[in-house]
Amino acid sequence: MLEKLVVESKALERTLSGEELSYTDGLELMNYDNLHILGAIADNARKKLVGDTVTFAASYYMNYTNVCAASCQMCAFYRKEDAKDAYTLTPEQIEQRVSIAETLGATEVHIVGGFHPELPLEYYEDMMKTIKKNHPELKIKALTAAEIFFLSKLTKNSTKEILSRLKESGLDSMPGGGAELFHPEIRPKIARGKCSGQEWLDTIEVAHNLGIRSNVTMLYGHIEKPEHVIDHLIKIRELQKRTRGFITLIPLKFSLDNTELEHEHLVNSECSSVYDLRITALSRLMLANVLNNISVYWVAYGKKLAQVALSNGGSDLVGTAFSEEVYRAAGKPTASSIQELEVMVKEIGRKPVQRDTFFNIINEF
């Protein structure tokens, strides 16, 4: 049935035959005018890889600081050290929050922050050791590749040394943040002061080679061009072939409110839902041969659009996002319960499954 519908698209024909899509194929699909067919084929690829389950984790988000040496144009969260609302959590505050996470039923604590110019490596080591000592069952998913790269420059240690020490302290995996878009033409325009795309990739490859698996993100819906999106997905694919260290891709929709891109009138509105669905479908098709999981971040989409994205190649809802602050700073509601995510999945006729950090099944509903 699907084969008959897509004879006019060589790229989609190659997808149906299981071939890897090229850069040119990706550009073709970024401009392909029949979103229904594109979504149907992406969803067909999803079903072949993971069936009809939709996974999610019980995850507690903790931002240890909002102080940041970078000044990313797309970020509403960061503050400079002298800002009235700047903060850095003390060990006691961290313990209080992690205790709350366990009470809420979280199985992982997702820890990220800004590029704090004064915190020593020991701050992070002590944080992880304390969490593991007091909450041994919780998985620690902490510090993006961009934060690790910054720490490397700050402390004059190699990324390998830092990652090895953090792994010994209790680091289980890494979130995918800081990836944004890798292409050097676009990255400085959205991520001022952050590591380059290649430095992010090099850092995460070191982590993977040390046995630290990670997520990976892609920030879209701002001032990018189609070629920047395809370049990003292909670089993810090539690294995944080498390391098999990525767990899931999370396409992140740019949230406009309170960002520099809004204030400078470089972006005046958020991208359309049609574009969101195209990105989800394209991510599935470009990565189909190397990565099973494509996550739909309902925090950025809203629950109704997230349900539609799950029928356009998405297979995971990321998690409950207890205490999420980054998207909240840009005006998004950011918390949900396991029961709410379960209902979201059942409403579209799919099977909800609670997972852990590494996509092992914890509970079926």
Side-chain angles (χ1 to χ4, degrees):
M1 177 65 179
L2 287 174
E3 288 85 346
K4 292 179 182 178
L5 292 174
V6 298
V7 291
E8 77 280 11
S9 171
K10 296 296 183 184
L12 290 181
E13 286 179 1
R14 278 191 281 277
T15 293
L16 287 168
S17 65
E19 295 178 48
E20 181 178 276
L21 296 182
S22 68
Y23 179 85
T24 302
D25 291 331
L27 288 180
E28 178 187 327
L29 296 183
M30 280 292 284
N31 295 295
Y32 186 68
D33 59 2
N34 195 323
L35 183 63
H36 297 294
I37 292 177
L38 182 67
I41 292 176
D43 210 47
N44 184 59
R46 180 271 308 164
K47 191 167 186 175
K48 286 180 180 178
L49 287 168
V50 298
D52 281 328
T53 60
V54 175
T55 49
F56 50 82
S59 184
Y60 185 91
Y61 283 49
M62 184 175 73
N63 297 95
Y64 59 89
T65 185
N66 63 351
V67 174
C68 191
S71 303
C72 293
Q73 301 92 317
M74 48 70 185
C75 181
F77 175 69
Y78 80 88
R79 298 293 185 272
K80 295 306 176 185
E81 283 185 275
D82 57 355
K84 188 181 299 185
D85 54 349
Y87 72 85
T88 300
L89 298 183
T90 65
E92 293 76 21
Q93 289 171 321
I94 290 171
E95 171 57 28
Q96 182 182 40
R97 294 192 184 199
V98 176
S99 295
I100 291 171
E102 201 157 51
T103 300
L104 289 170
T107 61
E108 67 175 23
V109 56
H110 176 121
I111 305 171
V112 295
F115 300 162
H116 198 296
E118 295 182 6
L119 290 179
L121 180 55
E122 288 76 16
Y123 173 90
Y124 305 94
E125 290 179 300
D126 292 345
M127 173 171 61
M128 293 180 193
K129 287 175 182 176
T130 301
I131 292 171
K132 280 298 183 184
K133 179 182 177 181
N134 296 338
H135 311 275
E137 299 303 315
L138 275 180
K139 295 296 183 186
I140 299 175
K141 182 171 70 180
L143 303 188
T144 67
E147 288 170 276
I148 297 296
F149 183 84
F150 176 79
L151 267 175
S152 173
K153 296 300 181 186
L154 182 68
T155 64
K156 297 180 172 56
N157 289 301
S158 68
T159 55
K160 184 176 181 180
E161 170 70 13
I162 289 172
L163 286 162
S164 297
R165 286 173 60 172
L166 293 177
K167 183 180 180 182
E168 189 175 335
S169 299
L171 178 66
D172 292 300
S173 70
M174 292 169 65
E180 322 309 0
L181 286 170
F182 298 135
H183 198 289
E185 182 179 86
I186 187 68
R187 191 173 180 86
K189 299 176 182 177
I190 60 171
R192 183 192 305 115
K194 194 168 282 185
C195 62
S196 71
Q198 191 57 54
E199 288 165 341
W200 191 99
L201 290 163
D202 291 343
T203 301
I204 211 70
E205 185 165 6
V206 172
H208 291 177
N209 289 337
L210 288 170
I212 305 169
R213 299 187 69 198
S214 75
N215 297 341
V216 59
T217 59
M218 176 174 68
L219 186 74
Y220 71 90
H222 39 84
I223 56 175
E224 80 276 7
K225 299 175 183 176
E227 51 264 39
H228 301 141
V229 172
I230 304 306
D231 172 81
H232 192 86
L233 292 171
I234 288 178
K235 285 174 178 170
I236 290 170
R237 190 172 70 191
E238 293 308 304
L239 180 54
Q240 181 72 344
K241 287 179 185 178
R242 293 198 299 275
T243 69
R244 296 290 167 172
F246 288 128
I247 304 167
T248 187
L249 166 70
I250 310 171
L252 293 177
K253 179 188 178 86
F254 171 65
S255 190
L256 179 64
D257 290 355
N258 304 319
T259 65
E260 184 178 320
L261 291 178
E262 178 193 32
H263 298 154
E264 298 292 330
H265 302 291
L266 295 171
V267 182
N268 294 314
S269 62
E270 294 183 5
C271 68
S272 69
S273 298
V274 169
Y275 189 66
D276 294 324
L277 299 179
R278 183 179 299 279
I279 291 292
T280 303
L282 185 70
S283 298
R284 170 63 70 187
L285 296 176
M286 292 296 294
L287 300 177
N289 296 328
V290 297
L291 188 62
N292 285 353
N293 306 306
I294 302 295
S295 295
V296 174
Y297 196 35
W298 64 266
V299 169
Y301 285 2
K303 293 178 180 178
K304 293 302 182 184
L305 179 58
Q307 288 176 311
V308 182
L310 288 172
S311 298
N312 280 257
S315 57
D316 178 70
L317 282 171
V318 185
T320 50
F322 298 135
S323 195
E324 201 279 346
E325 294 184 60
V326 176
Y327 271 83
R328 187 185 306 167
K332 303 292 185 185
T334 61
S336 190
S337 66
I338 290 172
Q339 290 72 27
E340 286 175 293
L341 298 182
E342 175 191 349
V343 169
M344 281 176 64
V345 175
K346 287 182 175 179
E347 284 179 344
I348 61 170
R350 300 266 287 280
K351 182 179 179 181
V353 172
Q354 185 183 349
R355 61 167 175 83
D356 68 8
T357 303
F358 301 102
F359 280 71
N360 299 307
I361 294 174
I362 293 176
N363 192 19
E364 299 184 49
F365 302 90

